[in-house]
Structures are given as structure tokens and as C-alpha cells.
Amino acid sequence: MTPDMELALPARAENIALIRHTFGALGEALAVDEELLSDVRLAVTEACSNVVVHAYAEDDPPGPLEVLAALDGETLTVLVRDEGPGIAPHPDSPGLGLGLPLIASLAESVQLGRDEQERTEVCMTFLLSGAHTNGAAAGASAALGAPGAHDTPEDFEASATAETSPAGGRDDRFDPPTRT
């Protein structure tokens, strides 16, 4: 599937606002419900913030932050990609480790992985029809584990990485996950 929107920017904090505004404009153009649009923007902002904080912590200048979005019927799929070392628990991290559980609670589904070029990917899907089944309680709980199902944020991140990043990465590069 070809993305309907593609952004490639340096992974800098000031570019997150630009991405957030772009999704606001996309949501308005698609007449997305304001509450759902807020969820999409928050999840995308969190995924992009993770890239800025974690992917290139030691790099100056920072590497690329890519955001792709595709609309397929009533499903919006958003892919956030970077060239950092990947998603793993970091005890010395400046964050609280709540980003992935937050994304999982906002999106219909979340997939973590690496592409054929070993870039880190966070793929989120959102139902635009408003029939959100809470990804954390439904599809994402099976893939990521529901927030609160692990003792610490590090446990969540470790299980999310292990359970959703099989060797060789995903084969369905940007195709939205099939619903069961």
C-alpha cells in the first residue's frame, strides 16, 4: 500500500509540533471526530517523542524521523520509523516508560518491529468510524500485553519487544494488520 502522507524530518523536538499539526489538518480534511483525532495526535506525538528522546540520544545531528499515514476505508494506519538501536528497556532512561502502554491504549492496534533495513517501526491503526474497541484491551493486549499487566514499565517494554519483533521483522511492511 502506498502511504497517503509521508514526512521525513530530523528527529528534533521542534519537529514533533509540525507532525502533530499535520495530523490535525489530516483529521480535519477527513472529518475525523475531535476526540478520536485527539487520540491519534497524542499517540503519534508519543511515538515521535520516543524517537527524539531514545533513538538518537548520542547523535548530533540526530538521524531521521519518518512518519507515514495511509487511509484504507475506515482504518487509518500510521507508521513511525527511525534508524536508532531499537526498542529495549533502558534503566537509565529519562522517561517513565509509559509511552508504549499509552499508545496501546489509544490505538486500535500497535505493532513494534524492524524493517528489512533494520529501522525501528511503530505501526498504529485507528478506526475512524468511532467504533474503537480499545487496542489495549483487544488486539494490542494480545500483541503487547495490556497496560498494567506487567510489574514495571521495563517489563512491558521487554515483553512488547520480544513478542512483536520476530527475527527478520514484519513481512507486511505498511499493510494494515488484518482484523479478526
Side-chain angles (χ1 to χ4, degrees):
M1 170 191 291
T2 302
D4 296 307
M5 182 188 79
E6 217 172 335
L7 297 170
L9 302 163
R12 293 191 179 110
E14 59 269 22
N15 287 333
I16 296 172
L18 175 64
I19 294 166
R20 187 171 174 83
H21 288 296
T22 302
F23 273 89
L26 179 66
E28 288 177 22
L30 298 173
V32 175
D33 171 75
E34 194 62 37
E35 185 176 335
L36 176 60
L37 179 57
S38 178
D39 288 351
V40 170
R41 291 174 68 189
L42 180 56
V44 171
T45 297
E46 183 58 39
C48 292
S49 294
N50 283 342
V51 172
V52 169
V53 172
H54 301 292
Y56 307 110
E58 304 298 320
D59 296 352
D60 189 25
L65 164 62
E66 297 177 55
V67 182
L68 298 86
L71 183 63
D72 183 19
E74 289 294 311
T75 302
L76 175 66
T77 302
V78 180
L79 181 76
V80 176
R81 180 187 299 148
D82 66 71
E83 296 175 4
I87 300 171
H90 298 284
D92 59 342
S93 171
L96 297 174
L98 301 176
L100 292 174
L102 174 63
I103 292 168
S105 71
L106 297 169
E108 183 66 22
S109 68
V110 177
Q111 295 177 344
L112 308 175
R114 295 183 74 78
D115 69 4
E116 63 278 349
Q117 297 172 1
E118 291 300 310
R119 296 177 294 189
T120 303
E121 296 183 331
V122 175
C123 183
M124 304 164 274
T125 60
F126 303 89
L127 290 182
L128 300 183
S129 64
H132 182 63
T133 60
N134 188 347
S141 66
L144 296 177
H150 302 282
D151 295 327
T152 67
E154 291 80 12
D155 291 340
F156 175 85
E157 289 181 5
S159 71
T161 302
E163 294 171 17
T164 60
S165 299
R170 293 192 336 263
D171 291 330
D172 58 336
R173 257 325 95 211
F174 195 64
D175 293 330
T178 54
R179 300 192 49 82
T180 55

